PDB file of all heavy atoms in Angstrom:
ATOM      1  N   LEU A   1       7.230 -16.693  12.744  1.00 93.00           N
ATOM      2  CA  LEU A   1       6.087 -15.780  12.721  1.00 93.00           C
ATOM      3  C   LEU A   1       5.790 -15.263  11.302  1.00 93.00           C
ATOM      4  O   LEU A   1       6.684 -14.745  10.634  1.00 93.00           O
ATOM      5  CB  LEU A   1       6.337 -14.605  13.650  1.00 93.00           C
ATOM      6  CG  LEU A   1       6.505 -14.964  15.127  1.00 93.00           C
ATOM      7  CD1 LEU A   1       7.004 -13.761  15.925  1.00 93.00           C
ATOM      8  CD2 LEU A   1       5.188 -15.474  15.721  1.00 93.00           C
ATOM      9  N   LEU A   2       4.540 -15.388  10.905  1.00 91.00           N
ATOM     10  CA  LEU A   2       4.163 -14.953   9.538  1.00 91.00           C
ATOM     11  C   LEU A   2       4.164 -13.438   9.413  1.00 91.00           C
ATOM     12  O   LEU A   2       4.547 -12.900   8.379  1.00 91.00           O
ATOM     13  CB  LEU A   2       2.737 -15.478   9.241  1.00 91.00           C
ATOM     14  CG  LEU A   2       2.575 -17.020   9.250  1.00 91.00           C
ATOM     15  CD1 LEU A   2       1.125 -17.386   9.142  1.00 91.00           C
ATOM     16  CD2 LEU A   2       3.380 -17.663   8.136  1.00 91.00           C
ATOM     17  N   THR A   3       3.747 -12.725  10.483  1.00 92.00           N
ATOM     18  CA  THR A   3       3.639 -11.267  10.384  1.00 92.00           C
ATOM     19  C   THR A   3       4.955 -10.582  10.718  1.00 92.00           C
ATOM     20  O   THR A   3       4.992  -9.334  10.786  1.00 92.00           O
ATOM     21  CB  THR A   3       2.518 -10.715  11.292  1.00 92.00           C
ATOM     22  OG1 THR A   3       2.849 -10.967  12.674  1.00 92.00           O
ATOM     23  CG2 THR A   3       1.193 -11.348  10.986  1.00 92.00           C
ATOM     24  N   SER A   4       6.029 -11.347  10.903  1.00 93.00           N
ATOM     25  CA  SER A   4       7.338 -10.716  11.111  1.00 93.00           C
ATOM     26  C   SER A   4       8.099 -10.589   9.779  1.00 93.00           C
ATOM     27  O   SER A   4       9.109  -9.917   9.692  1.00 93.00           O
ATOM     28  CB  SER A   4       8.186 -11.544  12.078  1.00 93.00           C
ATOM     29  OG  SER A   4       8.583 -12.775  11.506  1.00 93.00           O
ATOM     30  N   LYS A   5       7.597 -11.230   8.731  1.00 92.00           N
ATOM     31  CA  LYS A   5       8.283 -11.224   7.435  1.00 92.00           C
ATOM     32  C   LYS A   5       8.224  -9.836   6.798  1.00 92.00           C
ATOM     33  O   LYS A   5       7.222  -9.132   6.906  1.00 92.00           O
ATOM     34  CB  LYS A   5       7.652 -12.253   6.491  1.00 92.00           C
ATOM     35  CG  LYS A   5       7.820 -13.688   6.960  1.00 92.00           C
ATOM     36  CD  LYS A   5       7.155 -14.662   5.991  1.00 92.00           C
ATOM     37  CE  LYS A   5       7.266 -16.091   6.475  1.00 92.00           C
ATOM     38  NZ  LYS A   5       8.640 -16.596   6.464  1.00 92.00           N
ATOM     39  N   PRO A   6       9.299  -9.433   6.108  1.00 92.00           N
ATOM     40  CA  PRO A   6       9.267  -8.159   5.384  1.00 92.00           C
ATOM     41  C   PRO A   6       8.134  -8.193   4.342  1.00 92.00           C
ATOM     42  O   PRO A   6       7.904  -9.220   3.696  1.00 92.00           O
ATOM     43  CB  PRO A   6      10.624  -8.105   4.673  1.00 92.00           C
ATOM     44  CG  PRO A   6      11.484  -9.067   5.398  1.00 92.00           C
ATOM     45  CD  PRO A   6      10.561 -10.148   5.919  1.00 92.00           C
ATOM     46  N   VAL A   7       7.423  -7.067   4.213  1.00 94.00           N
ATOM     47  CA  VAL A   7       6.292  -7.043   3.285  1.00 94.00           C
ATOM     48  C   VAL A   7       6.322  -5.796   2.419  1.00 94.00           C
ATOM     49  O   VAL A   7       6.733  -4.714   2.877  1.00 94.00           O
ATOM     50  CB  VAL A   7       4.936  -7.139   4.015  1.00 94.00           C
ATOM     51  CG1 VAL A   7       4.701  -5.921   4.917  1.00 94.00           C
ATOM     52  CG2 VAL A   7       3.772  -7.301   3.069  1.00 94.00           C
ATOM     53  N   MET A   8       5.934  -5.943   1.167  1.00 94.00           N
ATOM     54  CA  MET A   8       5.693  -4.819   0.282  1.00 94.00           C
ATOM     55  C   MET A   8       4.253  -4.896  -0.177  1.00 94.00           C
ATOM     56  O   MET A   8       3.818  -5.922  -0.722  1.00 94.00           O
ATOM     57  CB  MET A   8       6.616  -4.824  -0.929  1.00 94.00           C
ATOM     58  CG  MET A   8       6.269  -3.693  -1.918  1.00 94.00           C
ATOM     59  SD  MET A   8       7.378  -3.639  -3.345  1.00 94.00           S
ATOM     60  CE  MET A   8       8.781  -2.793  -2.610  1.00 94.00           C
ATOM     61  N   TYR A   9       3.482  -3.819   0.062  1.00 96.00           N
ATOM     62  CA  TYR A   9       2.123  -3.769  -0.403  1.00 96.00           C
ATOM     63  C   TYR A   9       2.101  -3.291  -1.861  1.00 96.00           C
ATOM     64  O   TYR A   9       2.644  -2.235  -2.163  1.00 96.00           O
ATOM     65  CB  TYR A   9       1.277  -2.838   0.491  1.00 96.00           C
ATOM     66  CG  TYR A   9       1.112  -3.403   1.883  1.00 96.00           C
ATOM     67  CD1 TYR A   9       1.887  -2.928   2.926  1.00 96.00           C
ATOM     68  CD2 TYR A   9       0.203  -4.419   2.132  1.00 96.00           C
ATOM     69  CE1 TYR A   9       1.740  -3.458   4.196  1.00 96.00           C
ATOM     70  CE2 TYR A   9       0.056  -4.972   3.407  1.00 96.00           C
ATOM     71  CZ  TYR A   9       0.830  -4.472   4.433  1.00 96.00           C
ATOM     72  OH  TYR A   9       0.686  -5.001   5.692  1.00 96.00           O
ATOM     73  N   VAL A  10       1.532  -4.109  -2.713  1.00 95.00           N
ATOM     74  CA  VAL A  10       1.458  -3.811  -4.153  1.00 95.00           C
ATOM     75  C   VAL A  10       0.037  -3.367  -4.464  1.00 95.00           C
ATOM     76  O   VAL A  10      -0.896  -4.187  -4.459  1.00 95.00           O
ATOM     77  CB  VAL A  10       1.843  -5.024  -4.990  1.00 95.00           C
ATOM     78  CG1 VAL A  10       1.781  -4.694  -6.486  1.00 95.00           C
ATOM     79  CG2 VAL A  10       3.233  -5.526  -4.625  1.00 95.00           C
ATOM     80  N   CYS A  11      -0.136  -2.087  -4.697  1.00 95.00           N
ATOM     81  CA  CYS A  11      -1.461  -1.548  -5.038  1.00 95.00           C
ATOM     82  C   CYS A  11      -1.694  -1.711  -6.523  1.00 95.00           C
ATOM     83  O   CYS A  11      -1.047  -1.057  -7.339  1.00 95.00           O
ATOM     84  CB  CYS A  11      -1.574  -0.085  -4.621  1.00 95.00           C
ATOM     85  SG  CYS A  11      -1.510   0.180  -2.824  1.00 95.00           S
ATOM     86  N   ASN A  12      -2.619  -2.581  -6.874  1.00 94.00           N
ATOM     87  CA  ASN A  12      -2.946  -2.842  -8.278  1.00 94.00           C
ATOM     88  C   ASN A  12      -3.980  -1.825  -8.733  1.00 94.00           C
ATOM     89  O   ASN A  12      -5.158  -1.903  -8.334  1.00 94.00           O
ATOM     90  CB  ASN A  12      -3.466  -4.257  -8.430  1.00 94.00           C
ATOM     91  CG  ASN A  12      -3.635  -4.670  -9.888  1.00 94.00           C
ATOM     92  OD1 ASN A  12      -3.206  -3.983 -10.802  1.00 94.00           O
ATOM     93  ND2 ASN A  12      -4.299  -5.810 -10.114  1.00 94.00           N
ATOM     94  N   VAL A  13      -3.565  -0.825  -9.507  1.00 94.00           N
ATOM     95  CA  VAL A  13      -4.416   0.294  -9.890  1.00 94.00           C
ATOM     96  C   VAL A  13      -4.784   0.231 -11.377  1.00 94.00           C
ATOM     97  O   VAL A  13      -4.216  -0.533 -12.138  1.00 94.00           O
ATOM     98  CB  VAL A  13      -3.719   1.641  -9.584  1.00 94.00           C
ATOM     99  CG1 VAL A  13      -3.405   1.775  -8.093  1.00 94.00           C
ATOM    100  CG2 VAL A  13      -2.456   1.826 -10.416  1.00 94.00           C
ATOM    101  N   ASP A  14      -5.751   1.086 -11.772  1.00 90.00           N
ATOM    102  CA  ASP A  14      -6.065   1.218 -13.186  1.00 90.00           C
ATOM    103  C   ASP A  14      -4.996   2.047 -13.869  1.00 90.00           C
ATOM    104  O   ASP A  14      -4.169   2.718 -13.199  1.00 90.00           O
ATOM    105  CB  ASP A  14      -7.445   1.861 -13.372  1.00 90.00           C
ATOM    106  CG  ASP A  14      -7.534   3.202 -12.667  1.00 90.00           C
ATOM    107  OD1 ASP A  14      -6.972   4.196 -13.180  1.00 90.00           O
ATOM    108  OD2 ASP A  14      -8.153   3.270 -11.584  1.00 90.00           O
ATOM    109  N   GLU A  15      -4.977   2.029 -15.190  1.00 86.00           N
ATOM    110  CA  GLU A  15      -3.899   2.691 -15.948  1.00 86.00           C
ATOM    111  C   GLU A  15      -3.824   4.174 -15.653  1.00 86.00           C
ATOM    112  O   GLU A  15      -2.715   4.741 -15.581  1.00 86.00           O
ATOM    113  CB  GLU A  15      -4.121   2.455 -17.452  1.00 86.00           C
ATOM    114  CG  GLU A  15      -2.957   2.858 -18.318  1.00 86.00           C
ATOM    115  CD  GLU A  15      -3.102   2.403 -19.761  1.00 86.00           C
ATOM    116  OE1 GLU A  15      -3.722   1.338 -19.988  1.00 86.00           O
ATOM    117  OE2 GLU A  15      -2.600   3.127 -20.634  1.00 86.00           O
ATOM    118  N   ALA A  16      -4.978   4.844 -15.452  1.00 87.00           N
ATOM    119  CA  ALA A  16      -4.992   6.277 -15.220  1.00 87.00           C
ATOM    120  C   ALA A  16      -4.337   6.654 -13.872  1.00 87.00           C
ATOM    121  O   ALA A  16      -3.901   7.773 -13.678  1.00 87.00           O
ATOM    122  CB  ALA A  16      -6.423   6.792 -15.254  1.00 87.00           C
ATOM    123  N   SER A  17      -4.277   5.665 -12.954  1.00 90.00           N
ATOM    124  CA  SER A  17      -3.746   5.937 -11.606  1.00 90.00           C
ATOM    125  C   SER A  17      -2.321   5.430 -11.416  1.00 90.00           C
ATOM    126  O   SER A  17      -1.746   5.545 -10.342  1.00 90.00           O
ATOM    127  CB  SER A  17      -4.644   5.278 -10.553  1.00 90.00           C
ATOM    128  OG  SER A  17      -5.976   5.700 -10.684  1.00 90.00           O
ATOM    129  N   ALA A  18      -1.736   4.904 -12.505  1.00 86.00           N
ATOM    130  CA  ALA A  18      -0.406   4.246 -12.382  1.00 86.00           C
ATOM    131  C   ALA A  18       0.680   5.207 -11.938  1.00 86.00           C
ATOM    132  O   ALA A  18       1.646   4.801 -11.272  1.00 86.00           O
ATOM    133  CB  ALA A  18      -0.029   3.607 -13.707  1.00 86.00           C
ATOM    134  N   LYS A  19       0.552   6.482 -12.293  1.00 85.00           N
ATOM    135  CA  LYS A  19       1.608   7.442 -11.989  1.00 85.00           C
ATOM    136  C   LYS A  19       1.412   8.138 -10.619  1.00 85.00           C
ATOM    137  O   LYS A  19       2.339   8.246  -9.842  1.00 85.00           O
ATOM    138  CB  LYS A  19       1.682   8.502 -13.085  1.00 85.00           C
ATOM    139  CG  LYS A  19       2.967   9.285 -13.110  1.00 85.00           C
ATOM    140  CD  LYS A  19       3.096  10.065 -14.402  1.00 85.00           C
ATOM    141  CE  LYS A  19       4.451  10.753 -14.487  1.00 85.00           C
ATOM    142  NZ  LYS A  19       4.621  11.467 -15.780  1.00 85.00           N
ATOM    143  N   SER A  20       0.163   8.573 -10.362  1.00 88.00           N
ATOM    144  CA  SER A  20      -0.086   9.371  -9.160  1.00 88.00           C
ATOM    145  C   SER A  20      -0.968   8.719  -8.108  1.00 88.00           C
ATOM    146  O   SER A  20      -1.163   9.268  -7.013  1.00 88.00           O
ATOM    147  CB  SER A  20      -0.687  10.735  -9.546  1.00 88.00           C
ATOM    148  OG  SER A  20      -1.872  10.526 -10.308  1.00 88.00           O
ATOM    149  N   GLY A  21      -1.490   7.532  -8.410  1.00 91.00           N
ATOM    150  CA  GLY A  21      -2.329   6.841  -7.428  1.00 91.00           C
ATOM    151  C   GLY A  21      -3.752   7.358  -7.440  1.00 91.00           C
ATOM    152  O   GLY A  21      -4.169   8.151  -8.310  1.00 91.00           O
ATOM    153  N   ASN A  22      -4.551   6.943  -6.447  1.00 94.00           N
ATOM    154  CA  ASN A  22      -5.943   7.351  -6.334  1.00 94.00           C
ATOM    155  C   ASN A  22      -6.355   7.322  -4.864  1.00 94.00           C
ATOM    156  O   ASN A  22      -5.498   7.156  -3.974  1.00 94.00           O
ATOM    157  CB  ASN A  22      -6.846   6.430  -7.202  1.00 94.00           C
ATOM    158  CG  ASN A  22      -6.648   4.968  -6.885  1.00 94.00           C
ATOM    159  OD1 ASN A  22      -6.354   4.591  -5.731  1.00 94.00           O
ATOM    160  ND2 ASN A  22      -6.795   4.107  -7.863  1.00 94.00           N
ATOM    161  N   ASN A  23      -7.607   7.476  -4.604  1.00 95.00           N
ATOM    162  CA  ASN A  23      -8.093   7.511  -3.222  1.00 95.00           C
ATOM    163  C   ASN A  23      -7.847   6.192  -2.492  1.00 95.00           C
ATOM    164  O   ASN A  23      -7.582   6.170  -1.293  1.00 95.00           O
ATOM    165  CB  ASN A  23      -9.572   7.864  -3.147  1.00 95.00           C
ATOM    166  CG  ASN A  23      -9.826   9.319  -3.513  1.00 95.00           C
ATOM    167  OD1 ASN A  23      -8.951  10.176  -3.378  1.00 95.00           O
ATOM    168  ND2 ASN A  23     -11.028   9.638  -4.002  1.00 95.00           N
ATOM    169  N   TYR A  24      -7.894   5.090  -3.245  1.00 96.00           N
ATOM    170  CA  TYR A  24      -7.628   3.784  -2.642  1.00 96.00           C
ATOM    171  C   TYR A  24      -6.187   3.689  -2.163  1.00 96.00           C
ATOM    172  O   TYR A  24      -5.920   3.234  -1.058  1.00 96.00           O
ATOM    173  CB  TYR A  24      -7.915   2.674  -3.654  1.00 96.00           C
ATOM    174  CG  TYR A  24      -9.359   2.512  -4.029  1.00 96.00           C
ATOM    175  CD1 TYR A  24      -9.710   2.378  -5.392  1.00 96.00           C
ATOM    176  CD2 TYR A  24     -10.379   2.469  -3.093  1.00 96.00           C
ATOM    177  CE1 TYR A  24     -11.054   2.200  -5.764  1.00 96.00           C
ATOM    178  CE2 TYR A  24     -11.710   2.317  -3.454  1.00 96.00           C
ATOM    179  CZ  TYR A  24     -12.040   2.188  -4.802  1.00 96.00           C
ATOM    180  OH  TYR A  24     -13.368   2.031  -5.161  1.00 96.00           O
ATOM    181  N   THR A  25      -5.242   4.125  -3.007  1.00 96.00           N
ATOM    182  CA  THR A  25      -3.835   4.023  -2.644  1.00 96.00           C
ATOM    183  C   THR A  25      -3.486   4.985  -1.498  1.00 96.00           C
ATOM    184  O   THR A  25      -2.657   4.667  -0.634  1.00 96.00           O
ATOM    185  CB  THR A  25      -2.915   4.307  -3.844  1.00 96.00           C
ATOM    186  OG1 THR A  25      -3.128   5.635  -4.322  1.00 96.00           O
ATOM    187  CG2 THR A  25      -3.165   3.321  -4.980  1.00 96.00           C
ATOM    188  N   LYS A  26      -4.162   6.129  -1.459  1.00 96.00           N
ATOM    189  CA  LYS A  26      -3.942   7.083  -0.351  1.00 96.00           C
ATOM    190  C   LYS A  26      -4.399   6.470   0.966  1.00 96.00           C
ATOM    191  O   LYS A  26      -3.754   6.631   1.997  1.00 96.00           O
ATOM    192  CB  LYS A  26      -4.680   8.384  -0.621  1.00 96.00           C
ATOM    193  CG  LYS A  26      -4.078   9.216  -1.735  1.00 96.00           C
ATOM    194  CD  LYS A  26      -4.940  10.419  -2.084  1.00 96.00           C
ATOM    195  CE  LYS A  26      -4.384  11.183  -3.288  1.00 96.00           C
ATOM    196  NZ  LYS A  26      -5.294  12.262  -3.710  1.00 96.00           N
ATOM    197  N   ALA A  27      -5.507   5.740   0.933  1.00 96.00           N
ATOM    198  CA  ALA A  27      -6.019   5.096   2.141  1.00 96.00           C
ATOM    199  C   ALA A  27      -5.063   4.008   2.611  1.00 96.00           C
ATOM    200  O   ALA A  27      -4.835   3.843   3.815  1.00 96.00           O
ATOM    201  CB  ALA A  27      -7.413   4.498   1.862  1.00 96.00           C
ATOM    202  N   VAL A  28      -4.484   3.256   1.662  1.00 96.00           N
ATOM    203  CA  VAL A  28      -3.503   2.229   2.034  1.00 96.00           C
ATOM    204  C   VAL A  28      -2.270   2.836   2.653  1.00 96.00           C
ATOM    205  O   VAL A  28      -1.774   2.383   3.692  1.00 96.00           O
ATOM    206  CB  VAL A  28      -3.116   1.382   0.787  1.00 96.00           C
ATOM    207  CG1 VAL A  28      -1.977   0.423   1.138  1.00 96.00           C
ATOM    208  CG2 VAL A  28      -4.315   0.607   0.258  1.00 96.00           C
ATOM    209  N   ALA A  29      -1.741   3.930   2.034  1.00 95.00           N
ATOM    210  CA  ALA A  29      -0.564   4.597   2.549  1.00 95.00           C
ATOM    211  C   ALA A  29      -0.776   5.083   3.967  1.00 95.00           C
ATOM    212  O   ALA A  29       0.105   4.987   4.826  1.00 95.00           O
ATOM    213  CB  ALA A  29      -0.192   5.752   1.630  1.00 95.00           C
ATOM    214  N   GLU A  30      -1.951   5.641   4.255  1.00 95.00           N
ATOM    215  CA  GLU A  30      -2.267   6.128   5.594  1.00 95.00           C
ATOM    216  C   GLU A  30      -2.319   4.965   6.582  1.00 95.00           C
ATOM    217  O   GLU A  30      -1.841   5.072   7.711  1.00 95.00           O
ATOM    218  CB  GLU A  30      -3.611   6.847   5.551  1.00 95.00           C
ATOM    219  CG  GLU A  30      -4.113   7.362   6.908  1.00 95.00           C
ATOM    220  CD  GLU A  30      -3.206   8.439   7.507  1.00 95.00           C
ATOM    221  OE1 GLU A  30      -2.453   9.094   6.762  1.00 95.00           O
ATOM    222  OE2 GLU A  30      -3.274   8.605   8.743  1.00 95.00           O
ATOM    223  N   THR A  31      -2.875   3.832   6.151  1.00 93.00           N
ATOM    224  CA  THR A  31      -3.029   2.681   7.013  1.00 93.00           C
ATOM    225  C   THR A  31      -1.697   2.071   7.422  1.00 93.00           C
ATOM    226  O   THR A  31      -1.523   1.591   8.561  1.00 93.00           O
ATOM    227  CB  THR A  31      -3.896   1.594   6.324  1.00 93.00           C
ATOM    228  OG1 THR A  31      -5.176   2.138   6.027  1.00 93.00           O
ATOM    229  CG2 THR A  31      -4.088   0.367   7.205  1.00 93.00           C
ATOM    230  N   ILE A  32      -0.719   2.063   6.502  1.00 92.00           N
ATOM    231  CA  ILE A  32       0.553   1.362   6.787  1.00 92.00           C
ATOM    232  C   ILE A  32       1.659   2.285   7.255  1.00 92.00           C
ATOM    233  O   ILE A  32       2.807   1.862   7.419  1.00 92.00           O
ATOM    234  CB  ILE A  32       1.035   0.575   5.523  1.00 92.00           C
ATOM    235  CG1 ILE A  32       1.478   1.545   4.426  1.00 92.00           C
ATOM    236  CG2 ILE A  32      -0.036  -0.365   5.033  1.00 92.00           C
ATOM    237  CD1 ILE A  32       2.224   0.861   3.279  1.00 92.00           C
ATOM    238  N   LYS A  33       1.338   3.557   7.514  1.00 88.00           N
ATOM    239  CA  LYS A  33       2.389   4.539   7.835  1.00 88.00           C
ATOM    240  C   LYS A  33       3.214   4.188   9.074  1.00 88.00           C
ATOM    241  O   LYS A  33       4.378   4.542   9.149  1.00 88.00           O
ATOM    242  CB  LYS A  33       1.790   5.940   7.988  1.00 88.00           C
ATOM    243  CG  LYS A  33       0.850   6.103   9.157  1.00 88.00           C
ATOM    244  CD  LYS A  33       0.287   7.507   9.218  1.00 88.00           C
ATOM    245  CE  LYS A  33      -0.648   7.671  10.434  1.00 88.00           C
ATOM    246  NZ  LYS A  33      -1.228   9.020  10.495  1.00 88.00           N
ATOM    247  N   ASP A  34       2.627   3.464  10.020  1.00 83.00           N
ATOM    248  CA  ASP A  34       3.356   3.096  11.253  1.00 83.00           C
ATOM    249  C   ASP A  34       3.871   1.660  11.189  1.00 83.00           C
ATOM    250  O   ASP A  34       4.359   1.137  12.191  1.00 83.00           O
ATOM    251  CB  ASP A  34       2.466   3.294  12.488  1.00 83.00           C
ATOM    252  CG  ASP A  34       2.073   4.741  12.682  1.00 83.00           C
ATOM    253  OD1 ASP A  34       2.912   5.623  12.396  1.00 83.00           O
ATOM    254  OD2 ASP A  34       0.926   4.997  13.095  1.00 83.00           O
ATOM    255  N   GLU A  35       3.722   1.033  10.036  1.00 83.00           N
ATOM    256  CA  GLU A  35       4.142  -0.368   9.893  1.00 83.00           C
ATOM    257  C   GLU A  35       5.516  -0.417   9.202  1.00 83.00           C
ATOM    258  O   GLU A  35       5.821   0.431   8.372  1.00 83.00           O
ATOM    259  CB  GLU A  35       3.092  -1.093   9.039  1.00 83.00           C
ATOM    260  CG  GLU A  35       3.134  -2.605   9.149  1.00 83.00           C
ATOM    261  CD  GLU A  35       2.005  -3.269   8.376  1.00 83.00           C
ATOM    262  OE1 GLU A  35       0.900  -2.688   8.328  1.00 83.00           O
ATOM    263  OE2 GLU A  35       2.266  -4.331   7.799  1.00 83.00           O
ATOM    264  N   GLN A  36       6.304  -1.392   9.541  1.00 81.00           N
ATOM    265  CA  GLN A  36       7.608  -1.572   8.883  1.00 81.00           C
ATOM    266  C   GLN A  36       7.370  -2.239   7.528  1.00 81.00           C
ATOM    267  O   GLN A  36       7.575  -3.433   7.357  1.00 81.00           O
ATOM    268  CB  GLN A  36       8.518  -2.439   9.766  1.00 81.00           C
ATOM    269  CG  GLN A  36       8.809  -1.859  11.130  1.00 81.00           C
ATOM    270  CD  GLN A  36       9.597  -0.574  11.058  1.00 81.00           C
ATOM    271  OE1 GLN A  36      10.538  -0.440  10.280  1.00 81.00           O
ATOM    272  NE2 GLN A  36       9.222   0.406  11.871  1.00 81.00           N
ATOM    273  N   ALA A  37       6.914  -1.416   6.542  1.00 88.00           N
ATOM    274  CA  ALA A  37       6.548  -1.996   5.249  1.00 88.00           C
ATOM    275  C   ALA A  37       6.758  -0.964   4.149  1.00 88.00           C
ATOM    276  O   ALA A  37       6.822   0.236   4.408  1.00 88.00           O
ATOM    277  CB  ALA A  37       5.089  -2.463   5.292  1.00 88.00           C
TER     278      ALA A  37
END
């Protein structure tokens, strides 16, 4: 199964967001909160 593999989501951000993230990364974090990732 492809979706059983361990996954790390890598959010590719601009330099200004490298330390604290941005609205895009917050949306990703909320989306994956119940996923084993």
